[in-house]
Amino acid sequence: MIKIAVLVSGSGSNLQALIDANLSGQIVGVISNKPEAYALERAKKAGIQTAVIEHKQYPNREAFDDVMHRQLLDWDVDLVVLAGFMRILSAKFVKAWEGKMLNIHPSLLPNYKGMHTHQRVLNTGDVLHGCTVHYVTAELDAGQALAQGVLKVNLDDDVSSLANRIHVLEHVIYPQVVEWICTGTVQYTEQGVLYRGQAMQEPVQFCKL
């Protein structure tokens, strides 16, 4: 059984979606860099181990990441899921978990990497918006995309309404991708990512128009 750790900084709605999904794998631990994160309460209610590793207590990013890395090894983790984890990870940490770490980003990558995606979509006047689950690489928001949730931008949408609508999609596609990895439907190999035994060319798309 795949052992999963979830890294969080905030309320943990994606963590809750993963807990509720009854995955084939097991969430063995939740790490937060913020002791007040409500995600920790969600984990405790579900009987999942938690660890608070405050980034402010370490002299640099590498030292902080090293403590997280050791915690993950202690839990014997197979897959790391970033769920609202608001820290940029060091290249060394990312390399150590290459092919074993996922993130979800609130845009249709490769469009709108980085921050403030909803406002940027509104500014540009895009018809479609969404979210992308991807493998984490040292380059920000550049790892291979595995799935995308796509929605149509409404004329009356603002940043808040788009964020809320995107969250609904996130809670569908993130557990789905994690389940694919747990069951071997998605595999990370030296030759590339496989989906159902075939080379994955494009992310699987889920539409909510």
Side-chain angles (χ1 to χ4, degrees), residues 9-31:
S9 296
S11 71
S13 64
N14 270 311
L15 168 64
Q16 191 65 56
L18 292 165
I19 291 169
D20 293 343
N22 295 314
L23 299 164
S24 299
Q26 180 186 8
I27 302 174
V28 296
V30 171
I31 295 175

Side-chain angles (χ1 to χ4, degrees), residues 123-170:
N123 291 349
T124 310
D126 288 4
V127 175
L128 298 177
H129 187 30
C131 50
T132 305
V133 178
H134 63 95
Y135 279 115
V136 177
T137 60
E139 184 183 347
L140 186 66
D141 299 328
Q144 177 149 353
L146 302 175
Q148 292 184 321
V150 184
L151 55 74
K152 192 173 286 183
V153 180
N154 296 326
L155 290 174
D156 59 350
D157 268 323
D158 56 20
V159 168
S160 178
S161 66
L162 274 182
N164 290 334
R165 294 175 67 207
I166 294 295
H167 274 140
V168 173
L169 280 175
E170 289 181 1

Side-chain angles (χ1 to χ4, degrees), residues 6-73:
V6 184
L7 274 52
V8 297
S9 296
S11 71
S13 64
N14 270 311
L15 168 64
Q16 191 65 56
L18 292 165
I19 291 169
D20 293 343
N22 295 314
L23 299 164
S24 299
Q26 180 186 8
I27 302 174
V28 296
V30 171
I31 295 175
S32 179
N33 63 315
K34 295 188 174 181
E36 71 278 10
Y38 183 65
L40 294 168
E41 292 303 312
R42 296 182 190 269
K44 288 169 185 171
K45 286 178 184 175
I48 299 168
Q49 297 179 85
T50 62
V52 175
I53 303 171
E54 293 188 70
H55 60 277
K56 290 185 264 187
Q57 295 185 353
Y58 298 92
N60 52 49
R61 190 184 299 168
E62 288 74 17
F64 167 70
D65 285 359
D66 190 50
V67 176
M68 280 204 307
H69 179 69
R70 292 203 300 271
Q71 179 62 73
L72 294 170
L73 293 179

Side-chain angles (χ1 to χ4, degrees), residues 82-115:
L82 306 182
F85 186 66
M86 305 308 290
R87 302 295 301 167
I88 293 176
L89 299 164
S90 64
K92 179 183 175 185
F93 183 89
V94 171
K95 184 67 177 173
W97 294 94
E98 183 179 340
K100 300 177 180 178
M101 184 157 54
L102 299 176
N103 185 40
I104 191 161
H105 181 73
S107 80
L108 297 175
L109 293 173
N111 297 332
Y112 307 110
K113 297 177 181 179
M115 303 287 284

